[in-house]
Amino acid sequence: MVASMKTAVEPSKIILIVEKQPNYTQLLVKQVMFAGFRPLLAVTGEGGLRKALEFHPDLVLLELDLTDMNGLEFVALMKEHPRLQKIPIVAMSIFSYLRNAALYCGCEDFLKKPVKMIDLMAHIRRYLRRSEATIPTAPPTPAVRSRA
């Protein structure tokens, strides 16, 4: 009799996309899903913060030009919150002059729009790998000797 083997499937990583442009949002969602990640959407900074608190995404793709708040303000609020401060944020904007400000505020990276999707996926994978590498693991358990 052959025993069936079950393989544990790691749940897909959640990518929070905070983007106000519907067409660009659709493109990002398709690319994120095609890469095997779970997209989570918000069109405002406030909505993005609520979803970040509720779902604790593995990475945030952030358009800096939001309708309800400045994207840099969103980054500051994420970095101030104890549950959200370690989530990597990749900022995006058509305005390249925002790059230094985004990095100074705590974004891991800045991508100028329009973003080449192959570059975007490379950045996502890099920061997800980096965040996995920094997850603390339990120290090895010392061997227990019996007194037999």
Side-chain angles (χ1 to χ4, degrees):
M1 186 174 192
V2 177
S4 66
M5 295 177 59
K6 285 188 178 179
T7 57
V9 176
E10 180 183 344
S12 45
K13 303 287 185 180
I14 297 173
I15 309 295
L16 173 59
I17 300 168
V18 185
E19 170 64 62
K20 67 180 183 181
Q21 298 294 330
N23 292 338
Y24 208 72
T25 301
Q26 288 177 352
L27 179 63
L28 292 172
V29 166
K30 286 179 184 177
Q31 290 297 316
V32 165
M33 288 177 65
F34 182 76
F37 304 118
R38 287 180 37 212
L40 185 62
L41 305 175
V43 295
T44 64
E46 182 67 34
L49 289 169
R50 276 196 314 270
K51 288 190 177 188
L53 281 167
E54 183 178 351
F55 296 98
H56 201 272
D58 297 285
L59 182 128
V60 176
L61 294 176
L62 172 67
E63 161 61 55
L64 290 176
D65 186 27
L66 300 173
T67 56
D68 63 334
M69 70 172 67
N70 182 309
L72 301 176
E73 181 184 357
F74 176 92
V75 174
L77 292 169
M78 287 271 301
K79 296 301 178 181
E80 289 173 3
H81 197 286
R83 287 185 47 222
L84 305 177
Q85 61 190 205
K86 296 197 188 270
I87 298 172
I89 302 171
V90 176
M92 302 177 297
S93 178
I94 61 169
F95 304 111
S96 57
Y97 66 85
L98 291 173
R99 182 186 200 306
N100 288 339
L103 297 175
Y104 180 78
C105 285
C107 291
E108 275 61 35
D109 211 342
F110 175 88
L111 299 173
K112 180 157 181 356
K113 284 178 156 181
V115 177
K116 292 180 183 174
M117 289 303 130
I118 193 163
D119 293 339
L120 177 65
M121 291 301 112
H123 281 78
I124 289 173
R125 286 189 175 95
R126 177 179 348 150
Y127 292 110
L128 290 179
R129 274 195 309 269
R130 187 178 294 172
S131 66
E132 286 175 353
T134 59
I135 296 172
T137 56
T141 307
V144 179
R145 296 182 187 205
S146 64
R147 297 184 177 226

